Amino acid sequence: MSLEQSLHPSSIALGESLGSADEVLERVAELIVSNPLASSLGQSEVARLLREREELSSTGLSSGIAIPHCASDKVADFVVGVLTVERPIDFRSIDGKPTDLFFFVMGPREARNRHIKLLSAISKFAAQGDLLEQLST
């Protein structure tokens, strides 16, 4: 399954008014559970899984991009989405700069290799110049 095939309209939110990393994770959790593939999950459970992953190390990359991700045995297949925020926020990115573009992934625990491949595909896609401008149009 390609990155484009993995994106579902219910998992895309652009120009959100969020002010903290925790608000971003809550909104990502909301978007994940709105996807039919994750309908057996509760928003609070997904938010907890995302926070636990962030506690291990930040998923904030560089150039204003982060890829929050987690896994669960309760998700039927991969949920991939994108979220942009009006004003960049501190997401503990490796370059120390604020983040305004969030790709997110949730997948089945047993599909670790696919999970890594999706994260890699997103990283390559996100490395394209002016990506945020393209998403905003």
Side-chain angles (χ1 to χ4, degrees):
M1 179 183 291
S2 72
L3 180 58
E4 293 82 12
Q5 292 171 322
S6 300
L7 279 170
H8 189 275
S10 68
S11 300
I12 299 171
L14 305 177
E16 297 279 306
S17 180
L18 304 171
S20 69
D22 196 55
E23 287 180 15
V24 166
L25 295 177
E26 284 292 332
R27 182 65 174 126
V28 166
E30 181 182 356
L31 291 167
I32 287 172
V33 300
S34 72
N35 188 301
L37 295 170
S39 61
S40 65
L41 293 161
Q43 182 176 333
S44 61
E45 180 180 6
V46 174
R48 178 184 57 78
L49 291 169
L50 289 165
R51 281 188 197 93
E52 287 174 0
R53 172 56 189 87
E54 287 299 319
E55 288 172 8
L56 294 174
S57 67
S58 175
T59 59
L61 303 177
S62 61
S63 304
I65 298 168
I67 311 175
H69 58 95
C70 61
S72 171
D73 295 326
K74 296 179 185 177
V75 66
D77 201 355
F78 283 88
V79 175
V80 178
V82 64
L83 167 72
T84 66
V85 293
E86 288 178 346
R87 287 180 216 95
I89 63 163
D90 179 12
F91 208 74
R92 299 180 334 171
S93 297
I94 59 173
D95 66 358
K97 295 181 180 176
T99 304
D100 54 5
L101 175 58
F102 301 86
F103 289 94
F104 55 88
V105 176
M106 182 170 202
R109 287 193 196 281
E110 75 275 356
R112 187 79 178 132
N113 286 341
R114 268 184 66 206
H115 196 119
I116 292 168
K117 286 179 183 178
L118 265 174
L119 292 174
S120 176
I122 291 169
S123 294
K124 288 176 186 172
F125 180 74
Q128 298 176 28
D130 300 324
L131 180 61
L132 186 56
E133 288 179 29
Q134 292 174 29
L135 288 171
S136 299
T137 59

